[in-house]
Amino acid sequence: MAKFEAGYFGARFSLYPMTDRYVPVILGAIDKLRSSGLEVETDDVSTFIKGDRNAVWATLEESFAKAARSGEHVVMTALVSHGCPGEELCEIDPKTGSAGAPRPHPGTGVRVSCQWSLYPLGEPGYMDVIYKAVADTKADGVFSKGRHFVSHLEGDLDRVLDSIRRTFDQACESASHVTAHITLSANSPTRKAA
Amino acid sequence: MAKFEAGYFGARFSLYPMTDRYVPVILGAIDKLRSSGLEVETDDVSTFIKGDRNAVWATLEESFAKAARSGEHVVMTALVSHGCPGEELCEIDPKTGSAGAPRPHPGTGVRVSCQWSLYPLGEPGYMDVIYKAVADTKADGVFSKGRHFVSHLEGDLDRVLDSIRRTFDQACESASHVTAHITLSANSPTRKAA
């Protein structure tokens, strides 16, 4: 643990394809990870990525879009974190990352069911930040239902992640340490039956 | 959203068996859920359980133990929450649940690799609570490694969950609203290869 400096941003994600073919589906989904320019650290439970904020979100979107396009029932969980005081110094721009070129949207047309939670930490007024985030996903047209402990979102992958990312960036204005836990599901047989 | 009263406790969990047989593995793992006495709410992404605190933890342990004993590579994610101000009134004992009889440990002998995060919310001193929790998992002999944003635990399922539960109960002494996100993995080929 080193001295805290605002700006440490990254994500930790896992892919769960519910198929005997889960290894090739996962490897196919993250085939560009090593050339993404991000710092990557993989273990037996999840993969950590760190770096430019746009590149991190784009990597999450692209990885899940590829996995979902396998047609298998697949789930991705992602923990996104900004400003964790337990992390070491990092010099990237905390809020925006590089502006860069407008990024592509590989998630367009990939229908997802999503549950997520937002945690602005260390702030007595954190619930107001959460309520604002929920209202913003409603305004974005991706909110489906409030559930115990999570919000349920539905829509195309790119729109769902863009909405979460905007609320996350806004929460970073109110709290120096913010995390979000996101579960994305595609091709669920429960969903098809419903 | 109703008026806040301390005491609302529950979990939201999902099982991800990486096999074509994922439906029977999941159904076999949660076959006793409806007779558990807990309030149960299922949707296409996760299952919410609420009620006696011991029964909630026992259900998480039993469900994952059964799924892991299928021999398939299987992951469970669980979000455990206490005192969420957005939830309605609930009259159960916030910290201990019923004392009841000593519960069985279906997780004994089920080796798991686990990553988890603890969030005491609304408290400026939340990092001290987190550092204490990490130290306690070390004292319990289940801590494996500190990773970005999470702690990595290893050991038998019952010991790992018991350690997390103790730290969670302790965190509830310091913050009125506490959540934890837990990822449990069993039978991973990555692990076997390592």
Side-chain angles (χ1 to χ4, degrees), chain B residues 97-115:
Chain B
S98 67
R103 66 183 184 84
H105 279 297
T108 305
V110 176
R111 190 84 187 166
V112 297
S113 185
C114 169
Q115 291 181 352

Side-chain angles (χ1 to χ4, degrees), chain B residues 25-36:
Chain B
V25 171
I26 292 172
L27 295 179
I30 60 172
D31 60 348
K32 289 189 184 156
L33 199 54
R34 297 283 163 192
S35 57
S36 64

Side-chain angles (χ1 to χ4, degrees), chain A residues 7 9-11 37-39 49-56 90 92-93 97:
Chain A
F9 177 76
L38 296 170
E39 184 183 321
I49 53 177
K50 175 191 140 187
D52 175 87
R53 189 168 283 230
N54 291 329
V56 167
C90 150
I92 54 169
D93 178 343

Side-chain angles (χ1 to χ4, degrees), chain B:
Chain B
M1 306 291 183
K3 183 170 164 289
F4 170 53
E5 295 280 332
Y8 196 101
F9 178 76
R12 179 171 287 283
F13 73 102
S14 303
L15 284 163
Y16 308 119
M18 260 62 78
T19 165
D20 290 350
R21 296 178 52 253
Y22 67 95
V23 173
V25 171
I26 292 172
L27 295 179
I30 60 172
D31 60 348
K32 289 189 184 156
L33 199 54
R34 297 283 163 192
S35 57
S36 64
L38 295 170
E39 184 184 321
V40 178
E41 216 177 274
T42 300
D43 60 59
D44 64 305
V45 176
S46 59
T47 295
F48 168 77
I49 53 177
K50 174 192 142 186
D52 175 88
R53 191 170 282 232
N54 291 329
V56 166
W57 285 102
T59 295
L60 295 179
E61 181 177 334
E62 185 174 357
S63 301
F64 192 64
K66 283 183 180 168
R69 289 209 165 94
S70 70
E72 304 287 356
H73 174 30
V74 57
V75 168
M76 182 165 88
T77 57
L79 156 55
V80 180
S81 176
H82 167 74
C84 178
E87 304 288 343
E88 65 259 42
L89 173 65
C90 150
E91 71 280 17
I92 55 169
D93 178 342
K95 277 204 287 288
T96 60
S98 67
R103 66 183 184 84
H105 279 297
T108 305
V110 176
R111 190 84 187 166
V112 297
S113 185
C114 169
Q115 291 181 352
W116 78 295
S117 307
L118 178 70
Y119 301 117
L121 291 153
E123 292 296 327
Y126 70 104
M127 284 303 296
D128 292 334
V129 181
I130 294 172
Y131 291 137
K132 170 75 164 67
V134 172
D136 286 345
T137 60
K138 287 179 182 170
D140 286 343
V142 294
F143 179 88
S144 163
K145 191 173 164 58
R147 297 191 185 277
H148 300 297
F149 315 148
V150 297
S151 276
H152 203 132
L153 310 182
E154 290 185 329
D156 276 12
L157 173 61
D158 58 329
R159 292 190 56 219
V160 167
L161 281 185
D162 275 3
S163 187
I164 292 175
R165 187 244 168 104
R166 267 194 298 276
T167 64
F168 187 88
D169 285 352
Q170 280 192 353
C172 292
E173 309 274 350
S174 306
S176 60
H177 182 190
V178 180
T179 76
H181 283 257
I182 306 161
T183 303
L184 295 160
S185 172
N187 312 320
S188 164
T190 307
R191 188 119 208 108
K192 286 173 193 161

